Amino acid sequence: MAKLTFRNAVAAALAQEMERDERVVLIGEDIGSGGVFKTTTGLRDTFGPDRVWDTPISEEAIIGAAMGAAMAGLRPVAEVMFSDFYATCWDLVANEVAKARYMTGGQVSLPLVIRGANGGGLGFGSQHSQALENWALAVPGLKVASPSCASDMAGLLAAAVRDDDPVLVFEHKALMGSFEDCPDGEHLVPLGQAAVVRDGTDVTLVALSATVGMCRSAADELAGHGVSAEVIDLRTLVPLDAQCVLDSVRRTGRVVIAEENPGQLGWGAAVAAILADEAFGNLVAPVTRVSGGTSHCPSPRSSSRRSARPRNGWSPRSPA
Amino acid sequence: MLAEAGVSADEVQATEDRLRKEVQALAEDAQAAPVHDPASAWTDMWSDGSAQWRN
């Protein structure tokens, strides 16, 4: 077992896949020097500039080039430095990358991964702090992964590289420095397989990415009050392991969904709708969502205002 | 625009006549062909089932 930080897990997974398959190439801003979050450190030294391509500051160019490379037979991993910047290249992602397989009747596949730093709470301001998995969730044709720990970061990213369809991987900035024992050797975590990270019998806490740790803490607190909480890490939104959530909620009868994105039509709304459709008879209390709220500014620069956000000081008693 | 580019009216008319005949022939072929099996409506819509976003 090797102890890796979340950011080192990104580099380890990319190195594993680049070593295994010479068609895997990287493209993005400043990635040759390790990237702004140091998630690609050492890869250009190891694999050379022909496989680690630095680009100008243009997300459209990055995604367009990556899409073309994927159509031509490579397996590119593109980096959008902050997921907020998907807004500048969303036409390519949502209208071209996501639809190429549909529009060609399956004749063209895009084995393409797009990575981006995601989430708030670190003082990057409102244009560099959003949790945006729900944007991708709204576009059929995109797979969506958002890992919560270093081991899953490595395993899900490797699985994404091997997938023949486009996968967006959201890497939470607040987790970059967290570390964990990761398995030695080849490591893969299948897309679409949620993890029950804590067993419980009274309530199900459904989480993704950074909210997994929050839910673990909440479960610890609840245990002190005699409440047994089960915590589910969804790992991926597409494919969504709805069955894992349904199985749990059918046992516990209660569910709290913890999501970082704004509450209006966040991914938790999709999960809540599934529960309403398929587990209504098992619920003994209303489905509850705890979200990033509905404020216009997704993450204030001010630390005092930021500390009032659900990311910090979140508890199961917080309002949705 | 075509005239300005040096294409004669006869050439334009000949091209239009040829294309009309081609389209007419294709339309007649399609109308004379048997109705497709309804099951084929899903052919080439999606190749690998990835449109299923949840289990």
Side-chain angles (χ1 to χ4, degrees):
Chain A
M1 301 283 275
K3 196 174 281 295
L4 291 180
T5 62
F6 194 84
R7 59 165 52 87
N8 289 342
V10 175
L14 292 173
Q16 171 187 296
E17 294 307 298
M18 294 175 82
E19 187 69 38
R20 182 187 62 81
D21 186 342
E22 65 180 11
R23 296 171 300 171
V24 178
V25 296
L26 312 184
I27 180 169
E29 294 168 36
D30 299 333
I31 60 172
S33 56
V36 70
F37 290 101
K38 298 303 174 193
T39 49
T40 54
T41 299
L43 296 177
R44 187 170 62 182
D45 292 340
T46 304
F47 297 99
D50 288 344
R51 295 183 67 191
V52 180
W53 308 335
D54 268 326
T55 70
I57 303 175
S58 170
E59 284 72 24
E60 283 183 298
I62 294 168
I63 302 304
M67 179 180 176
M71 294 176 83
L74 297 178
R75 303 184 77 88
V77 180
E79 179 179 304
V80 171
M81 192 179 287
F82 288 80
S83 63
D84 313 71
F85 302 165
Y86 275 120
T88 69
C89 58
W90 200 239
D91 179 43
L92 280 163
V93 176
N95 279 331
E96 305 297 340
V97 168
K99 294 173 174 57
R101 185 186 284 278
Y102 290 100
M103 294 177 68
T104 62
Q107 295 178 79
V108 172
S109 62
L110 287 183
L112 165 63
V113 175
I114 310 175
R115 307 171 33 244
N118 190 56
L122 298 180
F124 283 94
S126 60
Q127 295 167 327
H128 297 69
S129 300
Q130 298 170 88
L132 296 175
E133 297 97 334
N134 57 323
W135 286 14
L137 175 61
V139 180
L142 300 176
K143 295 180 180 176
V144 183
S146 193
S148 69
C149 59
S151 176
D152 280 1
M153 180 67 250
L156 288 169
L157 181 54
V161 171
R162 298 186 192 192
D163 200 282
D164 286 333
D165 287 307
V167 184
L168 271 55
V169 180
F170 292 84
E171 301 164 3
H172 203 292
K173 295 186 278 291
L175 300 175
M176 289 291 180
S178 63
F179 55 86
E180 187 187 28
D181 287 331
C182 296
D184 292 325
E186 187 173 276
H187 178 45
L188 289 169
V189 175
L191 303 176
Q193 193 171 98
V196 177
V197 296
R198 180 186 174 116
D199 292 325
T201 55
D202 297 326
V203 60
T204 302
L205 308 182
V206 182
L208 180 77
S209 187
T211 67
V212 174
M214 298 176 194
C215 285
R216 283 177 182 267
S217 299
D220 288 342
E221 186 179 337
L222 287 168
H225 296 281
V227 177
S228 170
E230 183 150 294
V231 180
I232 293 176
D233 178 355
L234 290 178
R235 287 175 163 162
T236 61
L237 295 181
V238 183
L240 178 70
D241 191 355
Q243 199 58 53
C244 179
V245 179
L246 286 163
D247 289 346
S248 177
V249 172
R250 283 172 180 148
R251 282 189 290 100
T252 64
R254 297 177 177 83
V255 60
V256 178
I257 303 166
E259 53 193 313
E260 183 172 332
N261 52 219
Q264 65 270 34
L265 292 181
W267 59 260
V271 174
I274 290 170
L275 293 170
D277 281 344
E278 300 174 35
F280 186 78
N282 304 100
L283 292 168
V284 296
V287 174
T288 300
R289 293 173 59 212
V290 180
S291 73
T294 55
S295 73
H296 180 66
C297 182
S299 180
R301 178 67 181 83
S302 156
S303 58
S304 59
R305 290 190 61 208
R306 201 168 60 244
S307 66
R309 306 283 303 163
R311 257 200 53 71
N312 302 317
W314 181 88
S315 88
R317 293 183 297 278
S318 300
Chain B
M1 287 175 62
L2 289 172
E4 289 174 4
V7 181
S8 71
D10 287 346
E11 287 176 294
V12 172
Q13 188 61 51
T15 302
E16 184 171 332
D17 290 346
R18 178 174 56 80
L19 291 175
R20 281 189 182 281
K21 282 181 184 172
E22 285 184 18
V23 172
Q24 182 65 28
L26 290 169
E28 287 172 0
D29 282 352
Q31 288 172 337
V35 175
H36 286 284
D37 179 353
S40 69
W42 300 108
T43 301
D44 292 337
M45 288 294 289
W46 182 251
S47 63
D48 65 356
S50 294
Q52 291 184 348
W53 76 284
R54 51 155 294 204
N55 61 9

